Amino acid sequence: MKHKKIKYTRVQRRRNFFSNSLTIYLIKKYLIWIVSFAIFIMFANFMLLGIHTSSNNLSEENLLSEISPETDNNFEENLNNIPTVTSDANSIANSSDIFYDYLMADDSLDSDGIIGMKYDEYTIENGDNLTVISKKIGVNLDTLVSVNRISNANKLRPGQKIKIPNRNGLLYAVQKGESLEEITEKYEIDLNKVLSFNKIYDKDNINAGDEIFLPGAKYTLEERIDKFGQMFSLPTKVTRISSVFGYRVHPITKVRTKHMGVDIPGSLNTPVYASRKGKVIFAGYSGGYGNLVIVRHDKGYTTYYGHLNKITTRVGANVGQGTMIGRMGSTGNSTGSHLHFEVRRNGVALNPVDFISISKFIRKR
């Protein structure tokens, strides 16, 4: 019995030896795959942990931004993005709205004076005029004259100091009997914007002599003439306006198109004058305009005089304001004797009612 037990033990050891050898062989053969799989599992766990952490951080950042938004530096950093205000009426309105949005969103601009605005100071230099200053600092002429209470824009002296506000608009003194509704209607601006900007909580609680700031407002034509002098004069005798600036059904083609100027009817051969001094850059026949004269002025302005019966000037002529350049007629696409008059700036047609005193004739239509 003892002999058999020893023999069985040897056989078992031999089997264990072969079994262990096979295990070692298999481990060696597939070691690379085993290690690669283990690394993959570790890397996957690491990525999942990172995504979870990033998600938590993002949620915390969003929560913090809602609780405490960053507003301290936004206004100053974005000032350079505010477009320069030009004489184009649409550009003035758009730029004022953008400037207003920045201004009202900045808590640091709470009332620091009469109208809650910020001012810089500018010293007038030799050769300066308001146009030059306006281009330098990006504030329009109406604003400069209004804020500094300049009675005559053509009388500035070197060394004189003027205030430069941080936005465009008019500083306005309320007249006796005026309401805020009348003032905002006059300057075609939003009443609620004026109330908010000036921190007026009761629109009826204003008195004669109170000063309010009208954001984005500009002078009326009559006020411009009073402050700056006559910039454009009537190009001919006016008794009525037969067609205004804007879209209309063309009297000949019957197609709805934009009328780029105003039509001033009158007798055949009524004199037509240059509305402002300048240089004649076109004088001849031009399609639907018929006999046409174009005068180029300063600051990018041009004026058009169409349907003339006769042209009494020539290309290259320097003409003064009020110089006769032709006689009224009905040439081109026309249904009767009249002057087609346009004002353009840098090629863009503007409403002549903003430049010549014809609003009273339009109201009568």
Side-chain angles (χ1 to χ4, degrees):
M1 293 293 291
K2 187 177 181 179
H3 177 74
K4 289 182 178 179
K5 186 176 182 180
I6 292 172
K7 185 176 181 181
Y8 174 77
T9 302
R10 287 177 179 173
V11 171
Q12 186 179 27
R13 286 178 178 173
R14 189 177 292 116
R15 287 177 178 174
N16 289 341
F17 172 78
F18 284 111
S19 176
N20 291 339
S21 297
L22 180 62
T23 302
I24 293 171
Y25 170 78
L26 292 173
I27 288 174
K28 287 182 178 180
K29 183 175 181 180
Y30 295 103
L31 179 62
I32 295 176
W33 292 101
I34 293 170
V35 172
S36 298
F37 181 76
I39 293 173
F40 172 78
I41 295 298
M42 292 174 62
F43 181 77
N45 287 332
F46 177 79
M47 289 295 293
L48 289 172
L49 180 62
I51 292 172
H52 179 70
T53 304
S54 175
S55 176
N56 288 341
N57 290 339
L58 185 59
S59 298
E60 291 174 3
E61 289 174 3
N62 289 340
L63 181 62
L64 288 174
S65 67
E66 291 176 2
I67 295 174
S68 180
E70 296 181 4
T71 57
D72 292 342
N73 298 321
N74 286 347
F75 182 73
E76 296 298 332
E77 290 174 356
N78 286 305
L79 276 177
N80 292 331
N81 297 326
I82 298 170
T84 301
V85 177
T86 69
S87 295
D88 185 321
N90 291 328
S91 297
I92 288 175
N94 293 336
S95 299
S96 296
D97 287 342
I98 293 170
F99 214 146
Y100 177 78
D101 291 340
Y102 281 120
L103 187 67
M104 296 308 293
D106 185 61
D107 293 336
S108 68
L109 293 185
D110 286 341
S111 181
D112 56 0
I114 297 175
I115 55 177
M117 292 184 63
K118 291 183 177 179
Y119 295 93
D120 288 326
E121 191 175 74
Y122 181 86
T123 303
I124 297 173
E125 303 172 352
N126 285 323
D128 269 350
N129 56 45
L130 285 182
T131 301
V132 171
I133 297 170
S134 175
K135 289 180 179 179
K136 282 183 182 179
I137 62 178
V139 177
N140 67 35
L141 296 176
D142 290 11
T143 303
L144 290 175
V145 171
S146 166
V147 168
N148 290 282
R149 298 181 178 83
I150 298 173
S151 58
N152 189 333
N154 299 312
K155 292 183 179 180
L156 298 175
R157 64 181 186 280
Q160 181 180 347
K161 297 183 184 299
I162 60 175
K163 292 186 293 184
I164 307 299
N166 59 352
R167 63 156 304 119
N168 285 306
L170 299 178
L171 181 60
Y172 185 83
V174 178
Q175 305 298 310
K176 185 177 181 179
E178 273 188 323
S179 67
L180 280 178
E181 287 93 341
E182 291 171 335
I183 295 170
T184 54
E185 182 180 353
K186 174 182 178 181
Y187 292 104
E188 299 180 351
I189 55 176
D190 183 71
L191 173 60
N192 290 327
K193 184 180 290 188
V194 173
L195 293 172
S196 177
F197 187 87
N198 293 277
K199 297 179 175 58
I200 299 174
Y201 304 104
D202 182 359
K203 62 183 178 63
D204 297 319
N205 187 26
I206 60 168
N207 302 301
D210 287 350
E211 288 188 332
I212 57 175
F213 190 80
L214 308 177
K218 59 177 182 175
Y219 284 130
T220 64
L221 179 61
E222 290 73 18
E223 289 172 329
R224 282 177 177 271
I225 292 173
D226 180 56
K227 301 291 184 181
F228 304 108
Q230 184 76 40
M231 295 179 67
F232 290 83
S233 61
L234 294 174
T236 190
K237 182 180 179 181
V238 181
T239 56
R240 67 185 182 93
I241 301 297
S242 58
S243 186
V244 298
F245 178 85
Y247 283 94
R248 65 169 187 176
V249 176
H250 194 280
I252 295 177
T253 65
K254 305 302 180 183
V255 176
R256 186 174 185 270
T257 55
K258 187 174 183 179
H259 191 220
M260 309 298 275
V262 294
D263 290 343
I264 306 172
S267 302
L268 187 67
N269 289 327
T270 298
V272 172
Y273 310 103
S275 183
R276 185 175 178 176
K277 73 175 182 178
K279 185 174 184 176
V280 178
I281 60 172
F282 184 88
Y285 196 89
S286 179
Y289 283 102
N291 289 327
L292 172 69
V293 171
I294 303 175
V295 180
R296 183 177 62 206
H297 314 285
D298 58 354
K299 300 181 178 64
Y301 287 103
T302 51
T303 47
Y304 287 52
Y305 310 80
H307 305 306
L308 300 175
N309 190 45
K310 295 179 181 178
I311 295 174
T312 59
T313 188
R314 58 181 176 78
V315 172
N318 291 313
V319 294
Q321 188 175 46
T323 299
M324 182 175 169
I325 56 175
R327 292 186 177 276
M328 193 180 295
S330 187
T331 56
N333 293 340
S334 172
T335 57
S337 179
H338 73 284
L339 171 69
H340 172 84
F341 176 73
E342 293 182 17
V343 178
R344 298 194 181 200
R345 191 180 192 207
N346 298 325
V348 178
L350 306 175
N351 193 343
V353 75
D354 292 330
F355 299 91
I356 57 175
S357 301
I358 56 173
S359 58
K360 62 182 179 181
F361 299 103
I362 292 177
R363 285 194 293 268
K364 291 179 179 178
R365 295 178 76 247

